[in-house]
Amino acid sequence: MADREITEQDWADVQVIWDYHQLGHELRPVSAAIALGSFDLGVATCAASLFKDGYFPVLVFTGATSTTTIDRFPRGEAVEYRDHALSLGVPDEAILVEPRAANTGQNIEFSRQVLRQHDVEADSVMLISMPYMQRRAYATCVKQWPEVEVVCASEPVTLADYIAGIGDPRKTIDELVGDLQRIWRHAAAGFTIEQDVPVPVMAAYNRLVNAGFVSKLLP
């Protein structure tokens, strides 16, 4: 089943889930930004652009390595993100690096610690992530840091262009499906706040799981 052609129904279902993952927050100035490490360098590109647009004075890059990033970012996600942002003109003094986080909860927890260590009093933060990670990042931050106002942002890109940039449609669909499952699994475990999952989104999820897009599902 994993080798079957991706159908029009599959693509329609992926679009439903892609749209659900993104929150459509209106961007506004915040105390600090936290860019969540991943295999996607577009997160750092987006963070650099938003910094230069004046949305925040300080930017935390957070993330160690994982099985999906160790080959691409052997020095760690946060370190590679920092170097990319520097190459795009973000000044070094505006960047903080948090190189230990191994999951989204630690991204938030450890970044919060780094901001405190540098005397940054944050009453609002912008979470910058991959487009399909917005909702889970938001739910995690609200759970762990309820007193801060959260704005979510991602690289402004369509599903088709994002998949073309990654170059692996099946892997990207698996990632979207896996991130959706984590919305309710992480809430049940107490890691995040609960999020409503509309019936059409669950129907899309079930069809994609039945179609074999399961490599990123939790056991």
Side-chain angles (χ1 to χ4, degrees):
M1 185 177 293
D3 295 329
R4 93 189 207 329
E5 183 180 355
I6 300 173
T7 68
E8 288 187 11
Q9 181 63 62
D10 293 336
W11 285 121
D13 289 335
V14 174
Q15 185 69 59
V16 168
I17 293 174
W18 171 267
D19 292 342
Y20 173 74
H21 279 312
Q22 297 182 67
L23 298 176
H25 286 174
E26 183 176 351
L27 300 186
R28 62 177 180 80
V30 294
S31 304
I34 300 172
L36 306 179
S38 69
F39 60 83
D40 183 1
L41 202 59
V43 176
T45 302
C46 179
S49 176
L50 291 169
F51 171 83
K52 289 190 284 187
D53 286 342
Y55 282 105
F56 42 81
V58 61
L59 169 61
V60 182
F61 288 122
T62 170
T65 58
S66 68
T67 55
T68 59
T69 62
I70 184 65
D71 291 335
R72 180 171 171 80
F73 301 139
R75 296 183 299 144
E77 296 155 10
V79 173
E80 300 282 358
Y81 274 19
R82 171 187 175 274
D83 286 356
H84 186 62
L86 290 173
S87 75
L88 295 175
V90 179
D92 191 32
E93 60 269 21
I95 298 175
L96 302 176
V97 172
E98 186 295 295
R100 299 182 296 131
N103 56 54
T104 308
Q106 290 180 355
N107 286 143
I108 303 302
E109 177 188 356
F110 296 166
S111 295
R112 186 180 183 184
Q113 292 173 7
V114 167
L115 288 168
R116 284 176 172 170
Q117 290 165 4
H118 288 82
D119 298 320
V120 178
E121 297 294 333
D123 59 10
S124 57
V125 296
M126 185 176 292
L127 300 181
I128 305 170
S129 68
M130 296 181 293
Y132 61 82
M133 193 180 167
Q134 276 194 24
R135 185 174 292 274
R136 184 162 61 84
Y138 174 83
T140 304
C141 191
V142 171
K143 178 72 173 186
Q144 294 200 2
W145 199 356
E147 62 270 30
V148 77
E149 294 183 23
V150 181
V151 179
C152 290
S154 296
E155 191 175 17
V157 62
T158 65
L159 171 62
D161 286 344
Y162 187 82
I163 288 179
I166 297 299
D168 189 336
R170 187 167 295 277
K171 175 182 182 297
T172 305
I173 296 173
D174 283 357
E175 294 279 359
L176 266 72
V177 171
D179 233 78
L180 179 56
Q181 182 203 40
R182 284 160 176 76
I183 294 295
W184 59 83
R185 288 286 294 272
H186 285 186
F191 301 148
T192 69
I193 63 168
E194 291 187 5
Q195 298 278 281
D196 177 59
V197 183
V199 171
V201 177
M202 278 303 306
Y205 168 85
N206 287 326
R207 283 191 293 267
L208 289 170
V209 169
N210 289 336
F213 296 97
V214 298
S215 73
K216 296 299 181 178
L217 292 183
L218 297 172

